[in-house]
Amino acid sequence: ADTGALDARMSVCRACPRLVRWREEVAAVRRAAYADQPYWGRPVSSFGPADARILIVGLAPAAHGGNRTGRIFTGDRSGDWLFASLHRVGLATRATSHSAGDGQRLPATRIVAAVRCAPPANKPTTAERDACRPWLVRDLELVRPTLRVVVVLGGFAWTALWPALEQAGYSVPAPRVPFGHGTRVELPGTGVRVVGCYHPSQQNTFTGRVTEVMLDTVFGSAAALAEV
Ligand code: SF4
């Protein structure tokens, strides 16, 4: 599977006028502050191999995180929590993620976002979620031959995932199961497990709604289920 061609097509997507404006405005204003580094300011690609056994579905890139560095969950506090946990359970080669060329690798895991452009206040609209679904569908098709576990970070991504799974040809049990931390759903036929996890957003980590132990438990059990 050619992730390069997929990334190239997505990187020029302009389907959501509000998000295109925002990602470019933020980039234009902030390029000055990060003058020594390139500032991405475009849709953010998925990170990890096409033959991943574990797929992690996040919400959307952060304005000064993925939108700046061009790598999902990279350059912001949520990403610091996520990569540190993935490293503790053996799913990431390094505990931190900075930018392309830092040596970070996820040998069996691919991280994707429900919405690929940074939204104002980290809140995409439902129309933007639906407009971005084709890119999520492509990722679900890409990993299908090897996929064992999908870890979904937060209720927004959980809602975005189910129609995308259906469009990608997975069978999905009815009725839909509501999002919950630790909720598990098995997809009929494939045995793929979908697991809910609170998003490691600053709000959730500050308030203790999600802790390092909680993340390590979810990702450790995902690694065990996926036999990584
Ligand atoms: Fe395109 Fe998705 Fe960005 Fe909308 S959020 S412009 S659909 S890549």
Side-chain angles (χ1 to χ4, degrees):
D2 185 354
T3 55
L6 177 62
D7 290 349
R9 270 184 294 142
M10 194 188 65
S11 75
V12 292
C13 180
R14 302 183 70 84
C16 306
R18 186 182 80 115
L19 300 189
V20 171
R21 232 179 9 254
W22 174 250
R23 78 192 189 204
E24 292 177 356
E25 259 171 39
V26 169
V29 171
R30 298 295 291 184
R31 252 183 208 115
Y34 293 95
D36 57 331
Q37 306 161 18
Y39 203 112
W40 182 247
R42 283 154 54 185
V44 179
S45 305
S46 306
F47 182 57
D51 60 350
R53 297 173 71 78
I54 300 172
L55 193 74
I56 299 172
V57 186
L59 167 58
H64 304 307
N67 190 53
R68 173 168 64 86
T69 60
R71 185 191 284 168
I72 192 72
F73 276 106
T74 296
D76 62 83
R77 293 291 298 144
S78 302
D80 293 346
W81 278 67
L82 178 63
F83 278 98
S85 178
L86 294 178
H87 183 252
R88 284 193 297 270
V89 302
L91 291 175
T93 56
R94 288 168 187 263
T96 57
S97 176
H98 296 299
S99 57
D102 64 359
Q104 176 62 274
R105 277 194 320 111
L106 306 174
T109 303
R110 188 167 168 88
I111 308 178
V112 307
V115 170
R116 309 295 168 104
C117 293
N122 294 320
K123 283 195 171 53
T125 65
T126 53
E128 289 158 354
R129 177 195 70 202
D130 294 346
C132 212
R133 185 181 302 140
W135 300 117
L136 182 56
V137 170
R138 301 258 159 82
D139 265 308
L140 290 164
E141 289 168 346
L142 187 71
V143 296
R144 193 182 165 124
T146 50
L147 185 66
R148 305 308 307 144
V149 181
V150 184
V151 178
V152 186
L153 300 177
F156 186 95
W158 183 267
T159 309
L161 177 69
W162 299 101
L165 277 170
E166 280 178 333
Q167 278 184 28
Y170 294 78
S171 58
V172 168
R176 296 257 166 91
V177 176
F179 172 76
H181 182 84
T183 297
R184 269 193 206 179
V185 180
E186 185 171 329
L187 303 185
T190 57
V192 169
R193 264 56 159 250
V194 178
V195 181
C197 179
Y198 288 144
H199 193 289
S201 64
Q202 266 200 320
Q203 196 187 354
N204 282 346
T205 54
F206 270 163
T207 56
R209 186 164 198 238
V210 69
T211 63
E212 291 181 344
V213 172
M214 286 165 74
L215 290 179
D216 293 1
T217 302
V218 168
F219 291 118
S221 72
L225 284 171
E227 297 173 60
V228 174

